[in-house]
Amino acid sequence: MLSFEQAREIVITQCRSRGGTRQTVPLPLGDALGHVLAQEIRTDREYPPFDRSTRDGYAARASEATQGATLRCIGEIKAGDSVTEALPPGSCIQIMTGAAVPPGADAVVMIEFTRRVADEVSFDRPTQSHQNVVPRGSEARAGQIALPAGLRLGFAELAVAAQVGAATVHCYKKPSVAILSTGDEVVAFTETPGPFHIRNSNSVSLAAQVRLAGGTPVLLGNALDRVGDLAAKIEQGLQHEVLVLSGGVSMGKYDLVESVLKGLGAEFFFDAVAIRPGKPTVFGRCRNTLVFGLPGNPVSTMVTFQLFVTPAIDILGGGEPRALPLLEATLSVALKEKSGLTHFLPARVEWSSTKPHVAVLPWQGSGDIAALTRANCFLVVPADRQDIATGERVSVLPRGDVL
Ligand code: AMP
Ligand code: MG
């Protein structure tokens, strides 16, 4: 059986080899978070655009503002002031953080290291040329690439785009991800369930995970465990780039997802992964749609989405697949698991004295979503480990939204 790493590689390879050009959209910068740039963005001018002071203090010539020297202060420069006149020799000028250093001055002395009596300023320390001054153009030259195409826009990237005046950015369209839950027992969460029904929580968590990953969720509701209903709703899902199903992929008599997909012409790249929860996960292609059949137990659905669907959305969104952000932590309570499968256990990592410590939370198995609300990560127990002692280093997969 495939390890989760091998299964991820298969997803990545299939997504990369999926031909066709990606559609792009012009977006106002305020709507572009999480999109991948389809264009490069260049600087419109030098950065900084003027010699910028990084401190509140006095602009002066380093050769004159020597330790013990006194210079006459001729005025002040605030951030935003136009500065054209050169600083006359033998003088200094009060300057604020972010203001332009006048021609002639080559250093800013922090106010803390000066003493002022009326217009006379004396300097307590030696002054070096260029201190506390960021020269014009030293961060970026005009016309240089500020953000390359293919970059995912996070808060820092958005700030750079804003800095260079890119009010509209051309990005790849987010992939459209159809979500279909399955099960005769499943009713919409807006309905009152009968005594043996359960509300559809998977469609809600999946839509949230799709959004967080950078896709656009399309909710198709729930299909009954009948060939006809399932086939009709899967057909709707095949209008989208990705179809994510929950439930119906185990060995039960009414687990029909794989056989219905096969009937619609799907080819499968895997239909089991050596993990718990999540072993019966299915990944294939049907027509031009990538299809994930995730097990229906809510925690299984969440874990398998994070492991396998996230890299697909990364790539189909025009970017690179993000690595699994595994952390190392110290196990605070010993544990014992059956070997053979890699386990992902709801756990909580805490930082005491800056070092991460992790403990598994009590849970009732993969239906127990309440346990997951107390977890901020999954502890990853390798397939070949049975006992892990307190104090051992272990791998932790952050939940992604809360850690
Ligand atoms: P399955 O994978 O279809 O065998 O479902 C496994 C378990 O997950 C069963 O207990 C289901 O009732 C539950 N389940 C399946 N689909 C959903 C859903 N959409 N929302 C919440 N629980 C579900
Ligand atoms: Mg089912």
Side-chain angles (χ1 to χ4, degrees), residues 227 255-264 268:
V227 172
D255 290 326
L256 302 171
V257 165
E258 223 176 317
S259 62
V260 169
L261 279 168
K262 194 168 265 167
L264 293 170
F268 296 104

PDB file of all heavy atoms in Angstrom, residues 227 255-264 268:
ATOM      1  N   VAL A 227     -27.069   4.010  -7.171  1.00  0.00           N
ATOM      2  CA  VAL A 227     -26.278   4.241  -8.383  1.00  0.00           C
ATOM      3  C   VAL A 227     -26.811   5.436  -9.174  1.00  0.00           C
ATOM      4  O   VAL A 227     -26.048   6.309  -9.586  1.00  0.00           O
ATOM      5  CB  VAL A 227     -26.259   2.959  -9.254  1.00  0.00           C
ATOM      6  CG1 VAL A 227     -25.606   3.234 -10.603  1.00  0.00           C
ATOM      7  CG2 VAL A 227     -25.527   1.850  -8.518  1.00  0.00           C
ATOM      8  N   ASP A 255     -21.224   1.209  -0.397  1.00  0.00           N
ATOM      9  CA  ASP A 255     -20.139   2.131  -0.733  1.00  0.00           C
ATOM     10  C   ASP A 255     -19.915   2.041  -2.239  1.00  0.00           C
ATOM     11  O   ASP A 255     -19.178   1.189  -2.732  1.00  0.00           O
ATOM     12  CB  ASP A 255     -18.868   1.781   0.061  1.00  0.00           C
ATOM     13  CG  ASP A 255     -19.035   2.106   1.538  1.00  0.00           C
ATOM     14  OD1 ASP A 255     -19.735   3.097   1.844  1.00  0.00           O
ATOM     15  OD2 ASP A 255     -18.482   1.379   2.385  1.00  0.00           O
ATOM     16  N   LEU A 256     -20.591   2.940  -2.961  1.00  0.00           N
ATOM     17  CA  LEU A 256     -20.708   2.790  -4.415  1.00  0.00           C
ATOM     18  C   LEU A 256     -19.871   3.786  -5.215  1.00  0.00           C
ATOM     19  O   LEU A 256     -19.885   3.755  -6.444  1.00  0.00           O
ATOM     20  CB  LEU A 256     -22.186   2.972  -4.815  1.00  0.00           C
ATOM     21  CG  LEU A 256     -23.170   2.002  -4.143  1.00  0.00           C
ATOM     22  CD1 LEU A 256     -24.596   2.427  -4.446  1.00  0.00           C
ATOM     23  CD2 LEU A 256     -22.914   0.581  -4.623  1.00  0.00           C
ATOM     24  N   VAL A 257     -19.159   4.657  -4.513  1.00  0.00           N
ATOM     25  CA  VAL A 257     -18.513   5.767  -5.222  1.00  0.00           C
ATOM     26  C   VAL A 257     -17.552   5.279  -6.307  1.00  0.00           C
ATOM     27  O   VAL A 257     -17.593   5.727  -7.449  1.00  0.00           O
ATOM     28  CB  VAL A 257     -17.794   6.697  -4.211  1.00  0.00           C
ATOM     29  CG1 VAL A 257     -16.816   7.631  -4.907  1.00  0.00           C
ATOM     30  CG2 VAL A 257     -18.835   7.510  -3.435  1.00  0.00           C
ATOM     31  N   GLU A 258     -16.670   4.316  -5.935  1.00  0.00           N
ATOM     32  CA  GLU A 258     -15.660   3.877  -6.898  1.00  0.00           C
ATOM     33  C   GLU A 258     -16.312   3.209  -8.111  1.00  0.00           C
ATOM     34  O   GLU A 258     -15.930   3.482  -9.259  1.00  0.00           O
ATOM     35  CB  GLU A 258     -14.693   2.905  -6.199  1.00  0.00           C
ATOM     36  CG  GLU A 258     -13.268   3.182  -6.567  1.00  0.00           C
ATOM     37  CD  GLU A 258     -12.286   2.278  -5.813  1.00  0.00           C
ATOM     38  OE1 GLU A 258     -12.474   2.067  -4.589  1.00  0.00           O
ATOM     39  OE2 GLU A 258     -11.335   1.802  -6.452  1.00  0.00           O
ATOM     40  N   SER A 259     -17.316   2.350  -7.855  1.00  0.00           N
ATOM     41  CA  SER A 259     -17.900   1.631  -8.994  1.00  0.00           C
ATOM     42  C   SER A 259     -18.702   2.580  -9.889  1.00  0.00           C
ATOM     43  O   SER A 259     -18.674   2.451 -11.114  1.00  0.00           O
ATOM     44  CB  SER A 259     -18.757   0.456  -8.511  1.00  0.00           C
ATOM     45  OG  SER A 259     -19.819   0.936  -7.735  1.00  0.00           O
ATOM     46  N   VAL A 260     -19.358   3.575  -9.287  1.00  0.00           N
ATOM     47  CA  VAL A 260     -20.100   4.536 -10.128  1.00  0.00           C
ATOM     48  C   VAL A 260     -19.121   5.369 -10.956  1.00  0.00           C
ATOM     49  O   VAL A 260     -19.330   5.609 -12.146  1.00  0.00           O
ATOM     50  CB  VAL A 260     -21.021   5.417  -9.261  1.00  0.00           C
ATOM     51  CG1 VAL A 260     -21.584   6.586 -10.065  1.00  0.00           C
ATOM     52  CG2 VAL A 260     -22.156   4.582  -8.684  1.00  0.00           C
ATOM     53  N   LEU A 261     -18.019   5.786 -10.322  1.00  0.00           N
ATOM     54  CA  LEU A 261     -17.008   6.549 -11.075  1.00  0.00           C
ATOM     55  C   LEU A 261     -16.462   5.717 -12.235  1.00  0.00           C
ATOM     56  O   LEU A 261     -16.289   6.207 -13.347  1.00  0.00           O
ATOM     57  CB  LEU A 261     -15.853   6.956 -10.147  1.00  0.00           C
ATOM     58  CG  LEU A 261     -16.085   8.186  -9.272  1.00  0.00           C
ATOM     59  CD1 LEU A 261     -15.005   8.298  -8.210  1.00  0.00           C
ATOM     60  CD2 LEU A 261     -16.110   9.468 -10.130  1.00  0.00           C
ATOM     61  N   LYS A 262     -16.196   4.446 -11.947  1.00  0.00           N
ATOM     62  CA  LYS A 262     -15.682   3.549 -12.993  1.00  0.00           C
ATOM     63  C   LYS A 262     -16.664   3.483 -14.156  1.00  0.00           C
ATOM     64  O   LYS A 262     -16.279   3.579 -15.326  1.00  0.00           O
ATOM     65  CB  LYS A 262     -15.430   2.148 -12.411  1.00  0.00           C
ATOM     66  CG  LYS A 262     -14.586   1.282 -13.320  1.00  0.00           C
ATOM     67  CD  LYS A 262     -14.108   0.040 -12.609  1.00  0.00           C
ATOM     68  CE  LYS A 262     -12.712   0.242 -12.021  1.00  0.00           C
ATOM     69  NZ  LYS A 262     -12.308  -0.779 -11.073  1.00  0.00           N
ATOM     70  N   GLY A 263     -17.941   3.366 -13.823  1.00  0.00           N
ATOM     71  CA  GLY A 263     -18.986   3.333 -14.857  1.00  0.00           C
ATOM     72  C   GLY A 263     -19.017   4.602 -15.698  1.00  0.00           C
ATOM     73  O   GLY A 263     -19.444   4.582 -16.853  1.00  0.00           O
ATOM     74  N   LEU A 264     -18.568   5.689 -15.128  1.00  0.00           N
ATOM     75  CA  LEU A 264     -18.546   6.959 -15.872  1.00  0.00           C
ATOM     76  C   LEU A 264     -17.213   7.151 -16.603  1.00  0.00           C
ATOM     77  O   LEU A 264     -16.949   8.215 -17.153  1.00  0.00           O
ATOM     78  CB  LEU A 264     -18.801   8.127 -14.915  1.00  0.00           C
ATOM     79  CG  LEU A 264     -20.198   8.181 -14.295  1.00  0.00           C
ATOM     80  CD1 LEU A 264     -20.260   9.221 -13.180  1.00  0.00           C
ATOM     81  CD2 LEU A 264     -21.244   8.488 -15.358  1.00  0.00           C
ATOM     82  N   PHE A 268      -8.209   5.285 -12.089  1.00  0.00           N
ATOM     83  CA  PHE A 268      -7.794   5.532 -10.702  1.00  0.00           C
ATOM     84  C   PHE A 268      -6.281   5.476 -10.581  1.00  0.00           C
ATOM     85  O   PHE A 268      -5.633   4.624 -11.173  1.00  0.00           O
ATOM     86  CB  PHE A 268      -8.433   4.502  -9.769  1.00  0.00           C
ATOM     87  CG  PHE A 268      -9.934   4.623  -9.742  1.00  0.00           C
ATOM     88  CD1 PHE A 268     -10.733   3.713 -10.420  1.00  0.00           C
ATOM     89  CD2 PHE A 268     -10.540   5.670  -9.067  1.00  0.00           C
ATOM     90  CE1 PHE A 268     -12.114   3.843 -10.420  1.00  0.00           C
ATOM     91  CE2 PHE A 268     -11.921   5.810  -9.056  1.00  0.00           C
ATOM     92  CZ  PHE A 268     -12.711   4.895  -9.738  1.00  0.00           C
TER      93      PHE A 268
END
